[in-house]
Amino acid sequence: MARNIQSLERAAAMLRLLAGGERRLGLSDIASSLGLAKGTAHGILRTLQQEGFVEQDDTSGRYQLGAELLRLGTTYLDVHELRARALVWTDDLARSSGESVYLGVLHQQGVLIVHHVFRPDDSRQVLEIGAMQPLHSTALGKVLSAYDPVAHSEALEADRKPFTDRTVCDAGDFEHLLDITRARGYAADVEETWEGVASIAAPIHDRRRMPVGAVGITGAVERLCRDGELRPELIAAVRDCARAVSRDLGAGRF
């Protein structure tokens, strides 16, 4: 059995101590509480401080939890709430569209799939929760890039490699696509990522009117398109789903 890494165990214990005790603790308090030498405790605190997980008060020299740790915790809670609020609406979207439904959030310069509803038929399907999709070619990724400034920057800085001959890689052309996405309120991917596959996605906003994710459907081009165009009833269904989830998150009407 693999051995635990002692320094990580000590860092975790230090964070729990700061989270559960007084608002701020001094080096001596932390070291004695954890049974560590001051030098060892200071080295761990310095590393945590450099990563933003711990902050030191300039006046007292005491330590407290840092903004980065709180941001990570808030992100987890946001994703958890997003999935919980989306469950009913994504099930409804899968039934009404007859296609697979994906819920995605920005993560490490890509789209992390946090919820996946199977296409409601008897075909063999693979659960894709935890899978990553590119920002520049997928419908989910383009929606996030259009509405989230961080995703926008990461999509422009990333290596926008072509997956098919339809993939838009040029920065100027990509910006134009994002303008179109914002203007019409949804994004499309027709064989830009996978041959024979099309997707439609729309943005989800929270109570602060901030983009927190995207929801979309994916299926065969011949099912999502009619006469070379995406079926308007499917576009409407995806947008209605995104608005419903946004309302449940407190965003009000869009």
Side-chain angles (χ1 to χ4, degrees):
M1 185 173 66
R3 296 173 59 186
N4 293 342
I5 300 174
Q6 188 181 58
S7 58
L8 292 180
E9 288 181 329
R10 289 172 170 174
M14 201 169 284
L15 293 174
R16 292 192 189 98
L17 179 65
L18 290 170
E22 300 177 18
R23 178 175 171 79
R24 292 173 180 160
L25 293 173
L27 174 60
S28 297
D29 299 324
I30 295 170
S32 61
S33 295
L34 299 179
L36 300 175
K38 280 189 179 181
T40 301
H42 185 255
I44 296 172
L45 284 167
R46 188 172 62 248
T47 301
L48 292 173
Q49 187 177 359
Q50 289 172 350
E51 296 299 325
F53 296 144
V54 164
E55 295 175 356
Q56 186 178 27
D57 182 71
D58 292 336
T59 303
S60 67
R62 290 175 173 263
Y63 295 90
Q64 65 183 26
L65 293 181
E68 179 65 13
L69 187 67
L70 298 176
R71 185 190 69 82
L72 291 176
T74 301
T75 300
Y76 170 78
L77 292 174
D78 285 348
V79 170
H80 181 73
E81 183 180 7
L82 175 61
R83 287 189 69 252
R85 299 289 185 179
L87 290 177
V88 172
W89 300 112
T90 50
D91 283 348
D92 287 347
L93 178 58
R95 281 193 294 269
S96 65
S97 67
E99 301 296 343
S100 300
V101 178
Y102 295 88
L103 188 67
V105 298
L106 176 65
H107 180 68
Q108 294 181 349
Q109 296 187 322
V111 183
L112 174 67
I113 303 302
V114 297
H115 186 53
H116 175 201
V117 183
F118 283 163
R119 186 171 63 253
D121 59 22
D122 296 327
S123 63
R124 183 177 179 181
Q125 300 173 64
V126 177
L127 189 66
E128 295 188 43
I129 293 176
M132 293 290 294
Q133 293 186 3
L135 284 171
H136 70 287
S137 63
T138 62
L140 291 172
K142 281 186 273 188
V143 161
L144 292 174
S145 300
Y147 289 89
D148 185 334
V150 176
H152 178 248
S153 297
E154 292 187 351
L156 288 177
E157 293 170 2
D159 179 19
R160 294 179 300 280
K161 67 177 183 178
F163 297 103
T164 72
D165 58 6
R166 292 173 177 261
T167 307
V168 175
C169 301
D170 177 78
D173 293 339
F174 181 66
E175 286 280 23
H176 179 62
L177 271 181
L178 299 187
D179 288 339
I180 294 174
T181 297
R182 285 185 287 267
R184 63 190 184 185
Y186 72 91
D189 165 13
V190 181
E191 297 189 285
E192 293 179 47
T193 310
W194 303 281
E195 297 282 356
V197 177
S199 300
I200 305 166
I204 296 172
H205 297 80
D206 66 6
R207 61 185 61 86
R208 300 162 296 174
R209 296 295 183 98
M210 297 296 292
V212 293
V215 63
I217 60 173
T218 297
V221 171
E222 57 265 27
R223 294 198 304 269
L224 267 66
C225 296
R226 183 188 299 126
D227 299 326
E229 299 291 335
L230 289 167
R231 291 165 53 193
E233 66 271 24
L234 294 181
I235 295 172
V238 171
R239 296 191 67 194
D240 286 346
C241 177
R243 283 193 287 259
V245 178
S246 297
R247 284 196 300 271
D248 275 6
L249 289 170
R253 297 185 63 85
F254 272 80

